[in-house]
Amino acid sequence: LAAIGGHNLVMSVLLATRDGALAAGLAWEGAVYGYLLRFDHTLAEESCDLLGRHISHEGGLRGPFCRTCEPMEKAMRNIFKGDIGSASAPLHEVQALFREALRSDEFLGGADLAVCVYPYLACAILGSLDAFAGVQLLVAAQTTASLAEGAAAELRPWALQVFREWLWAED
């Protein structure tokens, strides 16, 4: 399970999936991607380390709990800056970064399931990529933030349409 998000909620969601899998007797392995707070706040980095050590001790973790993936982090930083879809931050550049993240990181690219939290625009962009089409994507929305936050005005209708299509999908 790959968990993608720049908010503390990403850890809670990942741990909940682990607890659920273990309770059901299922194998589980997970990792967090795009959690940029850990680069700016010591406490966030310590949380990654502490949770990683705890899960490694119990099994279910073959690598770091919070993984470093340069293309993913660059894409997330661009989304947090805002104006994705404008001339200064074209959508295709962020899409290319996500594609590169999927290609360059074996765990992320091979995930069976992904959970995505804030920023939701990252979820829409990642989930709309052909390279991610075979991955089940759960968007854990728990906020008053806009689903299109970070998008330039001209890109917001597209981002919201992605979520509409997911909500009313027939398959």
Side-chain angles (χ1 to χ4, degrees):
L1 172 90
I4 299 131
H7 188 281
N8 294 336
L9 176 63
V10 73
M11 290 192 201
S12 298
V13 169
L14 188 65
L15 292 172
T17 65
R18 178 185 166 269
D19 293 348
L22 294 177
L26 301 172
W28 180 92
E29 184 178 2
V32 173
Y33 290 89
Y35 183 56
L36 300 179
L37 289 176
R38 71 189 178 107
F39 297 112
D40 301 326
H41 302 285
T42 303
L43 186 57
E45 180 62 27
E46 289 173 359
S47 294
C48 285
D49 292 341
L50 180 63
L51 287 169
R53 282 195 308 270
H54 175 73
I55 292 171
S56 288
H57 179 345
E58 293 184 352
L61 197 61
R62 287 185 270 165
F65 181 66
C66 294
R67 308 253 173 129
T68 300
C69 178
E70 190 174 320
M72 172 68 74
E73 289 149 10
K74 189 171 181 182
M76 294 294 273
R77 285 192 193 285
N78 287 342
I79 291 169
F80 276 116
K81 285 181 199 171
D83 262 1
I84 299 300
S86 68
S88 63
L91 175 61
H92 69 88
E93 289 180 9
V94 177
Q95 290 170 322
L97 287 167
F98 278 131
R99 280 188 204 95
E100 178 59 29
L102 293 168
R103 277 192 302 269
S104 67
D105 189 283
E106 185 178 330
F107 187 86
L108 179 61
D112 299 315
L113 174 66
V115 177
C116 190
V117 303
Y118 183 85
Y120 305 111
L121 181 59
C123 307
I125 295 170
L126 188 60
S128 68
L129 296 177
D130 289 342
F132 209 63
V135 179
Q136 297 295 313
L137 178 64
L138 171 66
V139 177
Q142 180 189 359
T143 187
T144 56
S146 166
L147 293 173
E149 184 177 326
E154 54 271 20
L155 186 65
R156 289 182 195 136
W158 172 85
L160 294 173
Q161 183 61 34
V162 169
F163 286 105
R164 274 188 213 100
E165 289 171 7
W166 289 344
L167 288 170
W168 285 281
E170 300 268 334
D171 52 350

